[in-house]
Amino acid sequence: MGVHLPYAEGLHHMITYQRYKPWHMAVAALAVASAAGGAYWFLGQSGDVQSGVVLADNKDSPPGWPQASTGVQADGMASAPTILSDGRPSDVQADDWSALNAALAKQSMPKTEAERIVGYLRFQHSFEAWQSLDETKDAKKRRAMAQALLAELPDRQAKGEFTAIEGTLMSTVLMADLEPDESKREKRLEELQAKLTANMAAEGDEQAQQAKARQTELKRRLATAYGEWQAKTTAAERTQAKLDQALEDVRRAYNSGEF
């Protein structure tokens, strides 16, 4: 994916690879090939666990594999799950939703956190699905999905799931499918760079940025813990107690300053 990043050299040193299992979206491992002037997206996959949101039973897919929507309908328009009367997104099983809310309540987390977590995992799987599409054979679908993901990205960033740098880098990669004209793409990338600079300034001093980065990491680890629990294939591993412990472990690591 030949995306030229005029400011990449100043960013790639700030991207770190986290040890834990999920793709970790923008920081999972975004490697900037400076010599070639290209950006390549590598998703940090685990060999034994798939994380994501499972929809109502889908017999055509392996157990534990995330079945979240790709974010677009057949006509290429963005789609979103229906929010049911109990607040549950229609693409999440009732038992899983109840378990997540119960675990979050024990952590004194707001009810909105459950929707954020499944939304983050849905976005994650959609991004993975987009990347897996063939750039030639699936060009039209890739463009539609890239547009849907790009439209959702500001909301995900506003929820504190990505830093300004990560959001800009994701936008850059997605834009490669949306703007084939190099000069126009360069102009849009310059606009993104300006927004990045403004966002970084708005985040305050270094101490404030570090505190915000820890909160971002906390949000992602909570989502990851739920995604890994939800993807387990044995009943003994998918108990309420196991999920409670997983979220407690994340909270304890945060409180101790581990991340």
Side-chain angles (χ1 to χ4, degrees), residues 53-90:
V53 179
V54 172
L55 305 182
D57 295 339
N58 185 336
K59 297 180 180 179
D60 296 329
S61 299
W65 180 255
Q67 298 301 320
S69 167
T70 57
V72 291
Q73 301 170 356
D75 58 4
M77 298 299 291
S79 62
T82 301
I83 304 300
L84 305 178
S85 59
D86 62 353
R88 173 173 62 92
S90 58

Side-chain angles (χ1 to χ4, degrees), residues 45-173:
Q45 293 286 5
S46 165
D48 58 342
V49 176
Q50 301 284 358
S51 61
V53 179
V54 172
L55 305 182
D57 295 339
N58 185 336
K59 297 180 180 179
D60 296 329
S61 299
W65 180 255
Q67 298 301 320
S69 167
T70 57
V72 291
Q73 301 170 356
D75 58 4
M77 298 299 291
S79 62
T82 301
I83 304 300
L84 305 178
S85 59
D86 62 353
R88 173 173 62 92
S90 58
D91 62 348
V92 182
Q93 294 180 1
D95 289 346
D96 289 354
W97 181 249
S98 296
L100 176 59
N101 278 277
L104 290 171
K106 292 180 181 179
Q107 297 293 320
S108 300
M109 302 291 287
K111 292 183 178 180
T112 54
E113 183 66 3
E115 185 175 352
R116 184 201 67 78
I117 284 175
V118 298
Y120 171 82
L121 294 171
R122 187 184 302 113
F123 185 86
Q124 165 189 318
H125 179 57
S126 297
F127 199 103
E128 292 174 344
W130 166 77
Q131 190 191 17
S132 70
L133 293 174
D134 185 271
E135 293 186 17
T136 302
K137 294 188 297 183
D138 302 314
K140 183 177 181 180
K141 187 174 183 180
R142 278 182 61 97
R143 285 194 298 272
M145 290 185 68
Q147 183 62 59
L149 288 163
L150 197 61
E152 186 179 348
L153 186 57
D155 181 57
R156 303 249 62 88
Q157 186 169 329
K159 287 180 168 63
E161 295 168 345
F162 312 116
T163 66
I165 291 177
E166 295 162 6
T168 299
L169 289 170
M170 280 188 285
S171 298
T172 299
V173 176

Side-chain angles (χ1 to χ4, degrees), residues 9 81 123 135 244 259:
E9 290 78 7
F123 185 86
E135 293 186 17
D244 292 347
F259 63 86

